[in-house]
């Protein structure tokens, strides 16, 4: 399950074959990728998907230190696409997103300090 769109659909409980929401999901996913780009993740010129052919490895270059980026994208898309009705749940998701943003910043900073030439 390396497809970015399929991963997000599964996290939302949408079956792979259902394409009814793909355009909206792609819009939200690309919006989150723009945020991640500002945090220093992904190709310097940015990244976007058009369909279910784009894979996580295309975006993360198999960098295992950034696996939690997948959770970050899923949670953000969930809030945009299908926000919970409970304010308590929304608050919990927002806290997790904030924690993940902090962890992303740490991972990106550590990669830069290591002098790693690999895109993050």
């Amino acid at each position: 399950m390396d497809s970015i769109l399929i991963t997000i659909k599964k996290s939302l409980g949408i079956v792979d074959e259902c394409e009814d929401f793909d355009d909206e999901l792609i819009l939200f996913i690309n919006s989150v990728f723009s945020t991640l780009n500002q945090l220093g993740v992904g190709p310097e010129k940015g990244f976007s998907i058009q369909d279910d052919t784009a894979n996580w490895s295309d975006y993360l270059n198999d960098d295992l230190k950034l696996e939690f980026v997948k959770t970050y994208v899923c949670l953000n898309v969930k809030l945009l696409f299908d926000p919970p009705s409970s304010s308590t749940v929304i608050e919990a998701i927002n806290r997790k997103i904030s924690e993940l943003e902090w962890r992303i910043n740490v991972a990106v900073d550590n990669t830069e300090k290591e002098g790693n030439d690999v895109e993050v």
Side-chain angles (χ1 to χ4, degrees):
M1 179 176 64
D2 198 33
S3 167
I4 295 168
L5 181 59
I6 300 285
T7 302
I8 301 303
K9 286 168 80 168
K10 286 187 177 188
S11 77
L12 295 169
I14 302 171
V15 294
D16 302 0
E17 298 78 25
C18 178
E19 297 177 351
D20 297 343
F21 308 107
D22 284 7
D23 289 340
E24 190 174 3
L25 291 173
I26 289 168
L27 174 74
F28 294 148
I29 291 166
N30 288 336
S31 181
V32 176
F33 282 148
S34 292
T35 300
L36 284 164
N37 180 266
Q38 292 181 343
L39 293 173
V41 178
E44 190 174 320
K45 64 181 171 83
F47 187 86
S48 68
I49 68 168
Q50 309 302 319
D51 52 33
D52 65 357
T53 60
N55 294 320
W56 287 108
S57 57
D58 299 332
Y59 180 63
L60 296 174
N61 294 322
D62 296 321
D63 188 344
L64 297 177
K65 293 180 284 186
L66 291 173
E67 275 294 306
F68 47 76
V69 165
K70 296 175 186 179
T71 302
Y72 180 82
V73 174
C74 288
L75 290 174
N76 274 283
V77 171
K78 178 171 182 56
L79 281 181
L80 293 167
F81 178 76
D82 185 25
S85 57
S86 166
S87 62
T88 305
V89 175
I90 291 173
E91 186 179 322
I93 291 172
N94 280 325
R95 278 195 310 269
K96 187 61 179 177
I97 288 170
S98 292
E99 176 194 341
L100 289 169
E101 285 175 347
W102 181 83
R103 292 183 183 281
I104 288 166
N105 279 319
V106 169
V108 169
D109 286 346
N110 286 341
T111 300
E112 289 172 358
K113 287 178 187 173
E114 293 170 0
N116 203 347
D117 292 334
V118 177
E119 287 182 353
V120 204

